[in-house]
């Protein structure tokens, strides 16, 4: 198998190029243990098996960002057969800076001179022949968006991979000062540390030692070689001053710049570019923020309003025909009653729950990817950075936070637009405080029952409470967990470009699939667990005697000081792990004591199928209408209002307005739902942050509810 | 004089980066090298960060980061 690694600067069109080559064979995942996305594909080309690995986009191979470490660790330790280096032809110099570093590795390199169409349009002329000569590599011009040059890029890469000696990358001449050091060190290392010569490209290793690269020093110190090198490095630093790093950076840039000047000829007169014109408006002092907010509103609206009819449709199909026919089918094979209950209320309900997220996740992924690929995301960060910095966040964090009001799950997935681990984690930790649509049914039930006079104000206060607490917690986290972590904002504002639709679709699809598979497994498990809690021991007369009832009784004490210490409420809160809206359903089941009997209509499969089809058409229609309607709150419609009347009567006896408000605050805060937790686990590759999220949220929820209830009693409300 | 003091439209030549470590390295990787010409294009609506052109592309950085980049201008 031939391994091809794809490396390049961010915004060089790397994703588009990889999609163009691999298409749907692309598999999206994460690099082990980190939040950085890993994309790879295995396929056949000309009868050869090829593994294509897309490395994270980087400007350099220094060990300062996660992406850089991943990219270079992969290149150094896995040594692919060939590197395809994607280079933006409209920005040669900075792109070639990375190329120069890739050449140090001694792995054959093929340059994909991408975005060649734009370079031509600008009147740039690039002398490919002399570029090949100066850098000693093969150069292929490509236009990834149009899939031009892909065949030639692949066949050239294969040719190079198969005869590495013929196409061995040239070592660039870094000048006598540096080259003489390299020669001396090379000799010494070969004599005394032959194993190192096998493990690393010596030239690269020597540069890293010169630069005092702590990452590499640690790696080889493991071999007990540290002292020897520390000595040499110290000596060199003495000779050249402490700033060998600057010397190296300057030398490499000099090479990049020399090549650029040697191969590129630009027209004399520079046209005012489209990007400048657009930015004059979009980054305008007065218009910048309103435009950003308008765009956010648009994305939010599309993500939630367009997908809601489909969510409802999926919900209806699953809880209607699908359940009905499962019951019928299991009945036919005489399955015991408990298996039917487990299959419908546990398994189908659980899986159905995940599937309901499909439309939202996919739409959101699509928009986010579009905003990123077009170049707008960087502008959004630029515009919002100052405001977000107050809570220790990055400018880009605003977008996931806003999405959180619709649903926390896509919001947490959207934290991937942030580059820095700290920014990602902090944003994800605060997102659950954004009151999502699933919490609304609970609000509606309680606000409608206790505060019908001023329901708007009370509802509004809950949303504001979430935002205020997010600001407070942001500041707290900044000073505690993330104390001392540097926050830098050094970001390219790339030219605006049109993302390729196909590339967007492939990415959206892969990303969504990855989430669904992962989430599905966990959610199924939790649904089954909740089913067990609620229904076992099998045949209990009273829900109070079920495991859930027992657990509810045990933990109810904890909620006593908050004003809602009954086992029914405690039990409902437990099932709220799946999704907060389920709290209402469980309350209904427990308090009303009879299952909302499903109308067992007699329908043939054909009738059912026809109805599904009709309701799907309606969903399409609704979704289109929603685009043109302006009232965004519509997306969180209040479902099943009629059914709630008996429940209202019951909760009126259990709660006072004060304890009801404390309860609402608690529900808002007490934990992320299971789907959000899985999303968090997915993004960060560890349960650690999920744990922290649960811990701080339940504490915060308890304290806030306590203050509301006890404080309220103290000043004589309730 | 440092980069954060330039107004939109003004140009300067980078004289020094007065801070070592990873921040300096990151800046250098992005082409912020001594001797390089830099032009301030814009400030963000809230006045910070700023956008500059360097090495033929556009880069944004916070004022805090621009402050460690010393520049010389023509009129001085
Ligand atoms: N005109 C043109 N645009 C391209 C080309 N390749 C990519 N793009 C666009 O450049 C933008 C950034 O591409 P993307 O693949 O996301 O870059 P990445 O950050 O390197 O992964 C997208 O809008 C692409 O559609 C190309 O060859 N020509
Ligand atoms: Mg990309």
């Amino acid at each position: 198998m031939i391994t091809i690694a794809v490396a390049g600067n961010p915004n060089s069109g790397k994703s588009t190029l990889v999609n163009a080559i691999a298409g749907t064979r692309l598999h999206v995942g994460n690099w082990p243990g980190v939040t950085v996305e890993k994309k790879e594909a295995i396929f056949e080309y000309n009868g050869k098996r090829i593994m294509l690995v897309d490395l994270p986009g980087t400007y350099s191979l220094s060990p300062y960002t996660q992406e850089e470490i991943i990219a270079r660790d992969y290149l150094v330790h896995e040594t692919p057969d060939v590197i395809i280096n994607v280079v933006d032809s409209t920005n040669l110099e900075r792109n070639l800076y990375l190329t120069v570093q890739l050449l140090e590795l001694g792995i054959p390199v093929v340059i994909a001179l991408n975005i060649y169409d734009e370079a031509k349009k600008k009147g740039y002329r690039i002398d490919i022949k002399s570029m090949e000569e100066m850098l000693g590599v093969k150069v292929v011009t490509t236009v990834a968006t149009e899939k031009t040059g892909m065949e030639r890029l692949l066949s050239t890469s294969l040719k190079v991979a198969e005869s590495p000696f013929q196409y061995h990358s040239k070592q660039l001449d870094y000048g006598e000062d540096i080259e003489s050091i390299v020669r001396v060190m090379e000799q010494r290392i070969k004599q005394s540390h032959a194993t190192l010569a096998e493990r690393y490209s010596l030239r690269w290793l020597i540069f890293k030692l010169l630069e005092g690269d702590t990452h590499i020093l640690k790696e080889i110190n493991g071999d007990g070689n540290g002292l020897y090198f520390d000595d040499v490095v110290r000596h060199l630093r003495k000779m050249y001053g402490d700033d060998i790093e600057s010397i190296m950076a300057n030398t490499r840039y000099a090479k990049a710049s020399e090549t650029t000047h040697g191969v590129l000829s630009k027209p004399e007169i520079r046209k005012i570019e489209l990007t400048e014109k657009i930015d004059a408006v979009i980054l305008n002092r007065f218009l910048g923020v309103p435009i950003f907010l308008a765009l956010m509103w648009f994305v939010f609206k599309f993500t939630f309003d367009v997908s809601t009819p489909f969510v409802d449709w999926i919900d209806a199909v699953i809880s209607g025909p699908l359940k009905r026919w499962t019951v019928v089918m299991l009945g036919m094979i005489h399955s015991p009653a408990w298996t039917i209950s487990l299959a419908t209320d546990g398994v189908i309900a659980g899986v159905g729950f995940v599937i309901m997220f499909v439309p939202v996740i996919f739409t959101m992924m699509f928009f986010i990817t579009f905003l990123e690929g077009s170049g707008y995301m960087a502008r959004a960060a630029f515009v919002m950075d100052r405001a977000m910095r107050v809570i220790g966040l990055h400018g880009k964090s605003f977008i996931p936070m806003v999405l959180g009001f619709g649903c926390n799950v896509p919001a947490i997935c959207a934290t991937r637009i942030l580059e820095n681990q700290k920014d990602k984690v902090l944003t994800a930790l605060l997102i659950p405080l954004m009151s999502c649509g699933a919490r609304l049914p609970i609000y509606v039930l309680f606000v409608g029952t206790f505060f019908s006079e001023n329901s708007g104000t009370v509802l509004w206060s809950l949303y504001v409470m979430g935002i205020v607490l997010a600001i407070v917690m942001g500041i707290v986290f900044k000073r505690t967990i993330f104390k001392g972590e540097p926050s830098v904002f050094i970001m390219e504002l790339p030219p605006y470009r049109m993302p390729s639709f196909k590339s967007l679709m492939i990415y959206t699809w892969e990303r969504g699939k990855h989430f669904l598979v992962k989430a599905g497994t966990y959610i199924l498990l939790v649904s089954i667990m909740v089913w067990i809690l609620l229904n076992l021991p099998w045949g209990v007369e009273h829900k109070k005697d079920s495991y859930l009832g027992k657990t509810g009784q045990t933990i109810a004490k904890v909620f006593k000081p908050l004003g809602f210490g009954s086992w029914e409420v405690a039990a409902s809160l437990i099932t709220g792990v799946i999704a907060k809206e389920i709290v209402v359903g469980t309350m209904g089941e427990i308090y009303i004591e009879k299952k909302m009997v499903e109308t067992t209509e007699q329908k043939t499969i054909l009738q059912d199928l026809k109805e599904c089809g009709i309701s799907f058409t309606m969903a399409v229609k609704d979704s289109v209408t929603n685009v043109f309607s302006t009232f965004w709150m519509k997306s969180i419609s209040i479902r099943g209002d009629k059914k709630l009347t008996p429940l209202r009567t019951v909760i009126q006896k259990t709660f006072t307005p004060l304890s009801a408000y404390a309860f609402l605050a608690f529900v808002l805060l007490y934990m992320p739902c299971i789907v959000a937790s899985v999303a968090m686990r997915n993004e960060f590759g560890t349960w650690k942050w999920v744990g922290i999220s649960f811990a701080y949220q339940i504490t915060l929820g308890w304290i806030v509810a306590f203050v509301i209830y006890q404080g309220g009693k103290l000043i004589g409300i309730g | 004089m440092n980069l954060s003091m330039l107004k939109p439209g003004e140009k300067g030549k980078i004289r020094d980066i007065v801070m070592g470590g990873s921040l300096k390295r990151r800046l250098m990787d992005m082409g912020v090298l001594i001797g390089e010409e830099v032009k301030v294009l814009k400030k963000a609506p809230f006045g910070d960060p700023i956008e500059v052109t360097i090495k033929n592309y556009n880069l944004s950085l916070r004022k805090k980061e621009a402050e460690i980049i010393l520049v010389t201008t023509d009129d001085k």
Side-chain angles (χ1 to χ4, degrees):
Chain A
M1 188 150 69
I2 293 170
T3 314
I4 304 178
V6 185
N9 281 191
N11 310 309
S12 59
K14 212 159 60 65
S15 306
T16 313
L17 187 127
V18 168
N19 284 341
I21 294 179
T24 47
R25 293 167 293 199
L26 205 63
H27 177 84
V28 181
N30 272 16
W31 291 87
V34 288
T35 56
V36 180
E37 202 156 81
K38 179 178 193 177
K39 284 176 274 178
E40 49 189 356
I42 295 178
F43 57 92
E44 301 255 328
Y45 178 79
N46 283 352
K48 304 259 163 43
R49 269 176 85 70
I50 295 181
M51 179 156 91
L52 193 74
V53 180
D54 185 20
L55 299 175
T58 60
Y59 295 104
S60 163
L61 292 181
S62 351
Y64 295 116
T65 67
Q66 234 176 18
E67 283 81 2
E68 286 168 351
I69 294 176
I70 292 168
R72 73 178 224 181
D73 276 357
Y74 183 86
L75 292 172
V76 170
H77 297 302
E78 313 286 325
T79 40
D81 297 301
V82 56
I83 303 172
I84 291 182
N85 176 205
V86 184
V87 166
D88 176 354
S89 347
T90 65
N91 188 357
L92 271 187
E93 191 175 345
R94 207 205 53 224
N95 276 260
L96 288 179
Y97 177 69
L98 178 68
T99 311
V100 169
Q101 294 182 61
L102 291 174
L103 290 175
E104 289 169 7
L105 290 166
I107 300 169
V109 172
V110 173
I111 290 182
L113 204 51
N114 196 35
I115 320 191
Y116 198 62
D117 53 335
E118 216 173 276
K120 273 200 294 199
K121 222 187 294 166
K122 283 179 168 213
Y124 285 15
R125 294 239 306 279
I126 302 173
D127 184 345
I128 310 290
K129 265 261 137 26
S130 27
M131 190 162 171
E132 289 188 330
E133 268 160 32
M134 288 180 86
L135 296 173
V137 299
K138 286 269 159 216
V139 177
V140 179
T141 59
T142 59
V143 182
T145 36
E146 287 159 22
K147 291 200 175 197
T148 345
M150 296 302 125
E151 279 291 318
R152 228 154 64 77
L153 181 61
L154 263 186
S155 59
T156 311
S157 305
L158 276 194
K159 207 162 66 190
V160 169
E162 279 169 350
S163 34
F165 290 105
Q166 190 184 338
Y167 295 103
H168 199 278
S169 306
K170 192 166 119 183
Q171 298 299 355
L172 302 178
D173 184 357
Y174 282 0
E176 196 41 38
D177 278 357
I178 294 177
E179 294 299 338
S180 62
I181 296 173
V182 171
R183 277 195 300 275
V184 172
M185 294 251 316
E186 226 164 30
Q187 278 311 313
R188 292 180 66 175
I189 295 175
K190 271 188 191 147
Q191 275 162 19
S192 56
H193 294 83
T195 51
L196 280 182
E198 279 160 31
R199 277 172 53 200
Y200 298 94
S201 143
L202 271 190
R203 188 180 174 79
W204 183 79
L205 180 64
I206 291 163
F207 292 148
K208 292 298 129 182
L209 293 175
L210 284 178
E211 288 169 322
D213 183 320
T214 45
H215 192 72
I216 286 295
L217 282 173
K218 224 184 273 163
E219 236 176 69
I220 51 175
N221 273 352
D223 291 0
N225 295 316
L227 286 174
Y228 171 81
F229 287 114
D230 281 352
D231 186 46
V232 176
V233 170
R234 211 174 301 130
H235 175 70
L236 284 166
R237 291 213 161 214
K238 219 179 275 163
M239 255 170 69
Y240 283 90
D242 245 350
D243 216 11
I244 306 181
E245 267 194 299
S246 302
I247 295 173
M248 287 307 297
N250 276 308
T251 310
R252 291 183 182 121
Y253 253 117
K255 279 284 141 197
S257 147
E258 185 186 308
T259 314
T260 308
H261 290 129
V263 304
L264 174 69
S265 48
K266 285 189 199 176
E268 294 282 310
I269 310 149
R270 205 180 72 98
K271 283 184 283 185
I272 293 187
E273 286 172 24
L274 183 66
T275 297
E276 287 169 61
K277 289 185 206 155
I278 299 177
D279 271 348
V281 180
I282 279 188
L283 299 183
N284 178 285
R285 206 162 200 163
F286 305 104
L287 294 177
V289 177
I291 289 178
F292 168 72
L293 292 177
L295 253 165
M296 268 336 290
W297 177 83
F298 176 83
V299 168
F300 186 93
K301 189 172 165 51
F302 255 84
T303 307
F304 296 105
D305 280 358
V306 169
S307 54
T308 311
F310 296 105
V311 173
D312 289 344
W313 177 76
I314 293 170
D315 190 16
V317 169
I318 289 169
S319 58
L322 188 65
K323 263 197 190 161
R324 202 156 52 233
W325 288 106
T326 315
V327 173
V328 170
M329 242 122 80
L330 289 175
M332 278 195 308
I333 56 167
H334 303 292
S335 307
W338 70 268
T339 53
I340 297 183
S341 168
L342 176 62
T344 53
D345 298 335
V347 178
I348 295 186
V351 174
F353 202 71
V354 181
I355 297 176
M356 290 203 316
F357 281 92
V358 170
V360 183
I361 295 277
F362 279 63
T363 331
M364 191 277 307
M365 279 298 172
F366 184 85
F367 279 115
I368 292 283
T369 317
F370 178 85
L371 288 181
E372 272 204 305
S374 65
Y376 183 74
M377 199 68 91
R379 270 76 184 181
F382 183 71
V383 167
M384 291 308 291
D385 185 65
R386 188 68 201 83
M388 295 308 283
R389 206 182 312 160
V390 177
I391 36 176
L393 289 176
H394 189 273
K396 281 187 189 173
S397 305
F398 193 83
I399 291 163
M401 299 291 262
V402 169
L403 287 170
F405 285 113
C407 175
N408 289 180
V409 176
I412 288 170
C413 298
T415 56
R416 68 182 48 248
I417 60 176
L418 293 153
E419 280 108 50
N420 178 299
Q421 168 91 2
K422 171 207 138 191
D423 293 330
K424 278 186 213 188
V425 171
L426 184 52
T427 310
L429 282 179
L430 297 180
I431 283 173
L433 302 182
M434 304 292 110
S435 192
C436 68
R439 280 164 243 198
L440 203 68
I442 313 175
Y443 298 168
V444 166
L445 173 68
F446 278 78
V447 171
T449 311
F450 294 99
F451 311 100
S452 47
E453 300 288 285
N454 36 18
S455 54
T457 320
V458 173
L459 205 59
W460 182 238
S461 74
L462 288 164
Y463 281 86
V464 173
M465 184 193 298
I467 297 171
V468 170
L469 287 172
I471 295 173
V472 172
M473 289 315 293
I475 294 169
V476 169
F477 284 140
K478 191 169 95 175
R479 303 248 163 104
T480 53
I481 308 182
F482 300 106
K483 197 174 168 190
E485 296 221 9
S487 150
V488 288
F489 186 90
I490 301 173
M491 186 185 63
E492 182 186 0
L493 292 179
Y496 289 105
R497 289 194 178 113
M498 199 58 200
S500 111
F501 184 73
K502 188 151 179 230
S503 176
L504 277 183
M505 292 311 275
I506 292 173
Y507 181 79
T508 305
W509 169 247
E510 285 304 317
R511 197 63 241 174
K513 203 173 74 184
H514 178 68
F515 167 78
L516 287 174
V517 172
K518 277 272 169 66
T521 328
Y522 291 114
I523 290 156
L524 189 61
L525 276 174
V526 174
S527 305
I528 292 174
M529 257 161 55
V530 169
W531 180 88
I532 289 174
L533 281 176
L534 197 62
N535 290 283
L536 295 188
W538 182 248
V540 283
E541 281 278 302
H542 202 282
K543 287 284 180 240
K544 193 173 183 174
D545 303 320
S546 71
Y547 291 139
L548 186 70
K550 295 238 175 73
T551 321
Q553 288 162 44
T554 323
I555 61 168
K557 291 190 247 349
V558 181
F559 302 122
K560 194 117 214 154
L562 315 183
F564 42 91
S566 75
W567 73 266
E568 290 97 334
V569 177
S572 311
L573 285 172
I574 296 173
T575 57
V577 182
I578 299 188
K580 295 200 175 176
E581 57 196 2
I582 290 182
V583 171
V584 175
T586 314
M587 277 191 172
E589 249 177 72
I590 295 178
Y591 275 127
I592 317 276
E593 266 306 330
K594 60 172 185 305
K595 276 206 166 172
M596 296 174 187
V597 189
E598 280 144 46
T599 40
T600 38
E601 301 158 74
Q602 294 297 318
K603 277 188 191 155
T604 64
I605 293 198
L606 260 162
Q607 270 173 327
D608 261 341
L609 281 179
K610 202 173 131 199
E611 262 171 37
C612 289
I614 293 172
S615 54
F616 184 77
T617 334
M618 295 296 287
V620 174
K621 203 191 104 211
D622 282 352
S623 152
V624 175
T625 339
N626 279 355
V627 176
F628 298 104
S629 67
T630 44
F631 189 43
W632 71 269
M633 281 293 267
K634 199 177 163 179
S635 62
I636 24 195
S637 62
I638 304 151
R639 274 182 250 156
D641 205 20
K642 301 182 286 305
K643 281 190 262 171
L644 296 177
T645 324
L647 190 54
R648 287 216 159 118
T649 334
V650 184
I651 58 169
Q652 223 150 16
K653 285 182 208 138
T654 335
F655 289 87
T656 65
L658 183 63
S659 69
Y661 193 72
F663 177 71
L664 288 179
F666 189 75
V667 167
L668 161 70
L669 303 169
Y670 79 119
M671 60 179 147
C673 71
I674 180 71
V675 197
S677 311
V678 174
M680 222 183 270
R681 152 73 236 255
N682 247 5
E683 289 303 318
F684 305 127
T686 150
W687 288 106
K688 178 181 162 194
W689 299 109
V690 180
I692 290 179
S693 191
F694 268 88
Y696 102 79
Q697 283 190 249
I698 202 144
T699 318
L700 184 68
W702 196 90
I703 292 173
V704 169
F706 181 84
V707 169
I708 291 174
Y709 184 66
Q710 298 296 344
K713 275 214 306 207
L714 218 62
I715 59 168
I717 320 170
Chain B
M1 182 145 198
N2 68 52
L3 183 58
S4 76
M5 291 149 105
L6 297 188
K7 293 196 184 60
E10 287 182 347
K11 279 185 198 169
K13 201 172 213 159
I14 296 170
R15 187 158 58 83
D16 200 2
I17 301 176
V18 285
M19 182 131 95
S22 62
L23 182 56
K24 178 173 183 182
R25 178 57 194 254
R26 180 113 181 100
L27 286 168
M28 290 191 302
D29 282 343
M30 300 299 286
V32 182
L33 300 168
I34 292 164
E36 203 66 40
E37 186 169 281
V38 55
K39 179 180 172 190
V40 175
L41 285 183
K42 281 192 189 65
K43 287 188 191 320
F46 297 122
D48 188 15
I50 62 171
E51 181 187 8
V52 302
T53 307
I54 193 159
K55 287 221 181 267
N56 199 31
Y57 81 99
N58 298 347
L59 181 72
S60 68
L61 30 85
R62 289 182 182 159
K63 275 206 171 131
K64 197 180 74 199
E65 288 135 10
E67 273 161 15
I68 67 164
I69 302 170
L70 303 187
V71 293
T72 49
T73 47
D74 287 340
D75 42 78
K76 253 187 242 166

